[in-house]
Amino acid sequence: MHHFRVLTTIKRYYGKKHSSNMWLERQARDPYVKRAREEDWRCRSAFKLIEIDAKHKLLKPGQLVIDCGCAPGSWTQVIVQKINSNGCDIKLPKGTAIGIDLQYVNPIRGAILLSKCDFTSAKTQAEILQKLGNKKADLVLSDMAPACTGDRSMDHHIIIELCSSVIRFSTVVLKNDGAVLCKLWMGGQQTLLEDAMKKLFLNVKYVKPNASRDDSAEIYLLGRNFKGMI
Ligand SMILES: C[S@@+](CC[C@H](N)C(=O)[O-])C[C@H]1O[C@@H](n2cnc3c(N)ncnc32)[C@H](O)[C@@H]1O
């Protein structure tokens, strides 16, 4: 029995070591990781938003943007630059960027950060509303991802719940004509989410940036032209 336990422990240890080695090797080979380091983005995810924005023209100076699941902060860095919330360009309108994450997020000049906050909680959403005052948002983004359980359908279900929470909150904070972009992992419930979004937005489409890894089930749902609450 003892012998068996020792063997499983060794297997578990080397199993983990093997997968973390694979992760390190993949990071070393990944051109986006290298570029992120060179261009001073906090992580490679920045390129997903840069690419989506280049194609769909979502971010503009002066906008109010909410970034759900923002740690370590590369999307927020992109948002701050594009909406001019750091006021770097005095000729352009100054935007507002609000980032939220369960984890601690190092400060980003030009962004209001709600660190160590669960976006889905009523307390966090009340705090966001308080930061907004009487203003409404142009854009709500969610790159939130739950910690993987290893069970694909369970993980899919959890991320759909996160997306649903983002969509519900968006109906409260978005301007008419505003937009939502949220990440999901493909699976059986995605059409339900898509259908719910079609009721609220005139244009709904799936977006998969090149920077999103091919072997990942990750995809983004983009809803544009919020119809407003009737
Ligand atoms: C892929 S990372 C986001 C990367 C980020 N877009 C960037 O560019 O730096 C996903 C994040 O979602 C956050 N997250 C997951 N569930 C959350 C929740 N309920 N509330 C807030 N953040 C959450 C995680 O803590 C994690 O930092």
Side-chain angles (χ1 to χ4, degrees), residues 5-24:
R5 231 184 265 144
V6 170
L7 272 180
T8 12
T9 312
I10 291 171
K11 249 189 179 161
R12 246 189 240 139
Y13 174 74
Y14 282 102
K16 267 193 190 149
K17 207 172 160 198
H18 178 64
S19 67
S20 75
N21 278 347
M22 273 178 25
W23 184 84
L24 285 172

Side-chain angles (χ1 to χ4, degrees), residues 9 62 64 88 95 99 103 110 114 183 187 222 225:
T9 312
L64 197 159
C88 268
Q103 299 185 39
L114 303 179
K183 169 160 82 184
L222 173 62
N225 309 104

Side-chain angles (χ1 to χ4, degrees), residues 68-97:
C68 310
C70 67
S74 77
W75 277 32
T76 312
Q77 289 178 296
V78 174
I79 295 163
V80 163
Q81 280 195 10
K82 299 265 180 187
I83 68 170
N84 192 38
S85 59
N86 52 9
C88 268
D89 192 332
I90 51 164
K91 294 188 290 305
L92 294 174
K94 193 172 174 208
T96 305

